[in-house]
Amino acid sequence: MQEIDYSKFSSEKNIIGITMGDPVSIAPEIIVKAFKEENKEFDDIIVLGDANLLKSFDNIKVNIVTGVEEYKKGFLNVLNLSDLKEIKYGKPNFETSKAMMLYIEKGAELALENKIKGIVTAPINKYAMQKAGYDFPGHTEFLAHKTNTKNVFMMFAGGFKLKIVLVTIHIPLKEVASFITYAKVLETIEITFKFLKKYSGKTKPRIAVAGLNPHAGEGGLFGDEEEKKIAPAIKKAKEKGIDVSGPYPPDTIFLNAKNESFDAFISMYHDQALIPFKLLHFDDGVNVTLGLPIIRTSVDHGTAYDIAGKNSASPKSLLAAIRMAKNMALNKAMCQLQFKGK
């Protein structure tokens, strides 16, 4: 196999875009704070948003660009997409909500055109999305629509040590069992495997699957979803060459994160994953969308209208999302170079 010179990739311009999120939320504040705290992280970043609003937070160096090629190191580079007036923090209106969605649309377009290598999305508000005339449940569903993606999955990541992918997301607990199917579990395993190979630099990733019921069903004593749906999906995935095991009891599966026995965990429902995850990564967790044709990471928190404009929001999750998007872009490029070098 031909030896690959990975240094070539690091010398190229590989821009990541940050969509500014809800203008009346903490989103503009955390972008400015992140820029001030970790200036070098923004050397290859362009913000899709409102330049005047960002400049109003602090005396920072802003470079307004009309194209990706105009970015300058040492500046907060902004592709100016709105000129909002009379901002009232915590109170979205039609203009701020429309601008919020415009930032996301432009980011998705640039990523699909490969003009940027991925997007990091600052928080938006679902009510504001509806107010602007976008009939989608949330950020992820809108991006799936924009990229013509049928199925997407949510992954929560704390750096590259703890990664949890959800089979079901925002549905009532009493309905979870009915939404868990053999096909859904198998697809989640396959998408997770493809993600790890493409974006985490793992050639043989290891995946652990949690059960649904206490003690993973205890042989059917506490439920039969494991025997009828989850275990058969795991078996099929193994037949396809995926290193996956389980189902493990949900109350102990995440102990394996300490010794890094697995590269990712698959959880059956929202709180099964989010309770342990937020215990460990409340401030620096990252939300990653699997299945999209573009890289998309996001902060693991909402708009926080209650503290918007009060200079008390933390940029830690945003910085973690930026670093993860950059790492994903680098690993993707390395994977492509390896493939070409064979």
Side-chain angles (χ1 to χ4, degrees):
M1 185 175 72
Q2 178 184 340
E3 186 175 352
I4 303 299
D5 181 13
Y6 293 126
S7 63
K8 180 182 178 182
F9 174 78
S10 61
S11 66
E12 297 173 354
K13 291 181 180 179
N14 291 281
I15 307 297
I16 297 292
I18 299 179
T19 60
M20 199 185 78
D22 191 333
V24 298
S25 74
I26 62 170
E29 177 188 329
I30 61 174
I31 291 172
V32 172
K33 283 184 174 179
F35 173 73
K36 290 184 67 179
E37 288 187 18
E38 300 287 346
N39 188 270
K40 287 190 176 181
E41 289 286 1
F42 281 75
D43 279 352
D44 300 321
I45 293 288
I46 286 181
V47 179
L48 292 79
D50 193 298
N52 286 330
L53 179 56
L54 290 165
K55 285 193 290 185
S56 71
F57 274 89
D58 216 323
N59 184 25
I60 56 173
K61 296 187 294 183
V62 172
N63 175 44
I64 299 177
V65 303
T66 58
V68 173
E69 67 282 352
E70 297 174 8
Y71 93 104
K72 296 179 182 178
K73 290 186 177 182
F75 288 79
L76 182 64
N77 294 280
V78 182
L79 182 61
N80 196 45
L81 298 174
S82 64
D83 186 20
L84 298 169
K85 309 293 185 183
E86 299 182 11
I87 291 292
K88 292 184 179 180
Y89 289 105
K91 298 186 181 299
N93 58 36
F94 178 78
E95 287 73 24
T96 61
S97 301
K98 191 71 176 177
M100 174 186 82
M101 297 307 297
L102 179 61
Y103 310 149
I104 304 167
E105 287 196 77
K106 188 63 175 179
E109 289 169 7
L110 290 174
L112 286 170
E113 294 167 0
N114 203 35
K115 292 181 179 178
I116 58 177
K117 298 304 179 183
I119 57 173
V120 177
T121 58
I124 69 169
N125 180 271
K126 294 178 179 64
Y127 167 77
M129 178 188 286
Q130 300 285 328
K131 196 178 186 73
Y134 291 77
D135 189 20
F136 295 92
H139 229 148
T140 302
E141 292 82 0
F142 176 68
L143 285 170
H145 168 75
K146 284 292 293 183
T147 58
N148 196 29
T149 304
K150 184 179 179 181
N151 293 322
V152 292
F153 294 84
M154 183 182 291
M155 181 181 83
F156 290 91
F160 275 94
K161 289 187 177 180
L162 179 59
K163 293 185 282 292
I164 310 176
V165 183
L166 279 63
V167 175
T168 66
I169 307 176
H170 297 125
I171 60 174
L173 188 58
K174 66 180 180 180
E175 298 177 14
V176 167
S178 63
F179 275 82
I180 293 172
T181 64
Y182 164 85
K184 186 73 170 176
V185 174
L186 178 59
E187 184 180 19
T188 307
I189 295 170
E190 291 175 331
I191 290 290
T192 302
F193 177 74
K194 289 177 183 177
F195 169 85
L196 292 170
K197 287 202 70 174
K198 187 174 184 179
Y199 293 121
S200 72
K202 302 283 186 178
T203 55
K204 296 180 179 180
R206 299 157 299 167
I207 300 169
V209 180
L212 171 66
N213 299 295
H215 305 288
E218 196 76 63
L221 183 63
F222 304 131
D224 60 5
E225 284 80 8
E226 285 79 10
E227 292 184 349
K228 291 185 175 180
K229 303 173 183 179
I230 302 172
I234 292 171
K235 181 181 178 182
K236 184 64 177 179
K238 285 181 177 180
E239 291 172 359
K240 293 186 174 187
I242 299 174
D243 187 352
V244 57
S245 58
Y248 294 101
D251 60 343
T252 58
I253 185 174
F254 298 111
L255 292 174
N256 290 290
K258 289 183 178 180
N259 54 25
E260 300 182 33
S261 300
F262 298 102
D263 299 299
F265 300 87
I266 292 177
S267 182
M268 293 298 117
Y269 61 94
H270 186 275
D271 286 7
Q272 186 187 73
L274 271 293
I275 290 172
F277 183 81
K278 292 199 173 184
L279 178 65
L280 297 174
H281 295 287
F282 186 79
D283 290 324
D284 63 350
V286 179
N287 186 344
V288 185
T289 306
L290 276 58
L292 294 174
I294 62 174
I295 291 172
R296 184 263 177 140
T297 67
S298 181
V299 295
D300 182 28
H301 59 72
T303 50
Y305 283 155
D306 57 323
I307 61 170
K310 296 181 180 179
N311 196 35
S312 60
S314 169
K316 287 183 179 180
S317 183
L318 177 63
L319 284 166
I322 291 170
R323 294 182 185 114
M324 179 157 287
K326 287 184 175 184
N327 277 328
M328 288 173 63
L330 176 61
N331 284 321
K332 178 183 178 182
M334 287 182 172
C335 182
Q336 290 171 339
L337 285 173
Q338 281 182 323
F339 181 77
K340 290 177 181 178
K342 288 183 178 179

